[in-house]
Amino acid sequence: MKITPAQVSGTLGALLFLATATFAAAPPQMKMTTDIPKAITTPDSVETRIGTLKFFDGFPDDATTQKVYDNLDFMRGVEAFLNAMPGASAEAIRVGWASQGAVNNQTLLIMERLMDSKSLFLTPNTESVYHMAWLDTSKGPLVLETPPNVLGIVDDHWFKYVGDFGNAGPDKGKGGKFLLLPPGYKGEVPKGYVVMRSPTYGNLMFYRGFLDNGSTKTSLDNTKNFFKVYSLSDAKNPPPMKFINVSGKEFNTIHANDFHFYEEVNAIVQYEPNEALNPETLGLLAAIGIEKDKNFAPDARMKKILTEAAAVASATSRALTFRPRIDGVYYYPDRKWFTSFAGGSYEFLKQPGVRNLDGRVLFHYYATGITPAMAMKIVGVGSQYAAATTDSEGKPLDGSKTYKIHLPPNIPAKNFWSIVVYDNQTRSMLQTDHQFPSISSQRKGVVINADSSVDVWFGPTAPKGHESNWVQTVPGKGWNVLLRLYGPLQPWFDKTWKPGDFELVK
């Protein structure tokens, strides 16, 4: 190929230009010039995961500036999702309960025939009688009169602990009178009440009653005879309670995984005082446009970024929930069972002043209800939980396949044990042909082996001869389980008793 003089001239000219530009870019040595540590400077071109970033002596060009601002807004959107998730979960519960009529303090929703898979809740059980109410103190203090023999909690609108009542509360399961005070309350506090102080006006309250010989009657009678909520100002003449049975009702209490998530969080920010949350998280939310007394109306660019942020944050939450990498989360080195409550602290503290961020995400993406009682490890008291999301080989549980697990002899539960199957998508009960996707030692007909061990099968159809110990799954659906031990015994705590992993039946 022949090269013309013009081409040579052009090439030499370009090289000369580059050399001149490079020489011109190098600053001259001045009288005060010193050696500058390389670590505190930025090169003119930097390769990163978001592309090439370009600078003129540390000053970002237009394209780089836009790129890093888009990335900053995206990162804050992801972090806002992960850090504000507890609040979004509480808000979704409020909206779900309101859809069933819980729109004032005198309405209590009750699962009179237990909870089944039609109602979307994060990992509920099929053995307790759930009672639920949203308590609002915006008009002043509220009195709660609680029934005996329940496990009850009050959490605030950001899903932080406010108080216990019932068997784990100061009434010691006998029932009592509680006074819930609004944020910043400075009025007189009358005697005769157990006082709870909440930093938010809105509070979720729920408690679990217990079956009596397989019947919900005792629990329901106690509720309707003893449970009341009323304003302190109405103490001399409380208004009547309204009880609504929501067993089998179709409604959702689970927060969104898309852009709507940020709208759920915004609803809390607008309703509650800023003092209810820390400045760091409120600043994070303000950075993406969620700020008290301001309209949350992101433009097209920001809405696109937040939509993608929600997608990545929900994917992150699913990884932390179904494939956790958190230190100490697995119960045994040779098993797939893990705790959804990492760290043993209801505040999710790894050590004083250090938050276990991944542990908090795992819990709130998978479960609800914050109380110090979760951290109690008392032999024969309360309950313990173990989650499994994979089989013995670490593969996700597939609704089209059949699995078997072995619960060794002397299952360490003073009261009873249960296994409930949940849908990976919703983290709520798996919707099958059966009302309750679960098995329990309370279920009639469960076959117990001669050595007191139990074998349980999971699959789309019942294995022949094992119908009584089978839980149905759904082809095309992924699933997971919680093993619950009610009244856990010492072999659970010292880990001398270990449940088998899910084994694929071939």
Side-chain angles (χ1 to χ4, degrees), residues 148-410:
N149 192 29
V150 299
L151 279 173
I153 60 175
V154 177
D155 287 332
D156 75 11
H157 209 160
W158 288 109
F159 233 135
K160 292 182 294 183
Y161 172 71
V162 175
D164 288 292
F165 60 90
N167 299 352
D171 60 304
K172 301 184 185 304
K174 297 178 181 179
K177 283 188 174 183
F178 296 80
L179 186 64
L180 180 62
L181 300 178
Y185 182 76
K186 296 180 181 179
E188 182 181 355
V189 178
K191 295 180 180 181
Y193 300 96
V194 177
V195 176
M196 296 180 178
R197 295 180 180 271
S198 174
T200 60
Y201 295 111
N203 301 269
L204 61 93
M205 182 285 302
F206 71 89
Y207 64 89
R208 291 175 287 167
F210 305 101
L211 297 177
D212 184 5
N213 292 321
S215 172
T216 63
K217 185 177 186 305
T218 300
S219 177
L220 297 177
D221 287 346
N222 284 341
T223 287
K224 292 176 181 179
N225 288 333
F226 297 108
F227 185 79
K228 295 178 182 178
V229 179
Y230 49 87
S231 296
L232 179 61
S233 58
D234 293 329
K236 293 183 179 179
N237 186 28
M241 290 295 299
K242 183 178 182 180
F243 302 107
I244 301 176
N245 176 24
V246 291
S247 283
K249 299 294 185 181
E250 297 179 30
F251 63 104
N252 174 50
T253 67
I254 302 171
H255 68 76
N257 280 322
D258 58 13
F259 176 80
H260 182 56
F261 175 95
Y262 303 105
E263 295 173 322
E264 292 171 325
V265 173
N266 181 61
I268 312 171
V269 170
Q270 300 309 323
Y271 191 75
E272 302 296 353
N274 280 343
E275 291 76 12
L277 198 58
N278 60 80
E280 197 74 19
T281 305
L282 286 176
L284 182 64
L285 296 174
I288 62 171
I290 299 174
E291 191 171 359
K292 192 169 185 63
D293 297 328
K294 293 186 178 181
N295 188 32
F296 176 54
D299 59 19
R301 168 192 165 274
M302 193 64 180
K303 188 169 185 178
K304 180 180 179 181
I305 288 173
L306 291 179
T307 299
E308 183 183 3
V312 171
S314 64
T316 304
S317 303
R318 289 183 180 278
L320 290 169
T321 300
F322 297 130
R323 310 179 76 171
R325 66 175 188 178
I326 303 163
D327 290 343
V329 74
Y330 288 93
Y331 281 111
Y332 319 98
D334 60 343
R335 295 287 193 277
K336 303 302 181 183
W337 295 95
F338 62 91
T339 176
S340 60
F341 180 50
S345 163
Y346 77 97
E347 294 177 304
F348 304 99
L349 296 177
K350 299 179 71 173
Q351 56 178 277
V354 182
R355 190 85 65 198
N356 187 335
L357 298 176
D358 290 352
R360 184 174 62 183
V361 170
L362 189 166
F363 179 85
H364 280 287
Y365 200 73
Y366 193 59
T368 59
I370 295 296
T371 165
M374 297 162 54
M376 292 173 56
K377 294 184 178 180
I378 304 175
V379 174
V381 177
S383 53
Q384 289 288 305
Y385 308 83
T389 59
T390 64
D391 66 14
S392 60
E393 297 181 354
K395 297 178 180 178
L397 298 169
D398 184 340
S400 65
K401 298 177 181 179
T402 298
Y403 302 85
K404 174 186 173 182
I405 65 167
H406 179 70
L407 302 179
N410 303 313

Side-chain angles (χ1 to χ4, degrees), residues 413-426:
K414 183 179 76 172
N415 301 324
F416 65 96
W417 58 266
S418 76
I419 300 176
V420 183
V421 177
Y422 301 103
D423 184 328
N424 282 353
Q425 283 285 5
T426 64

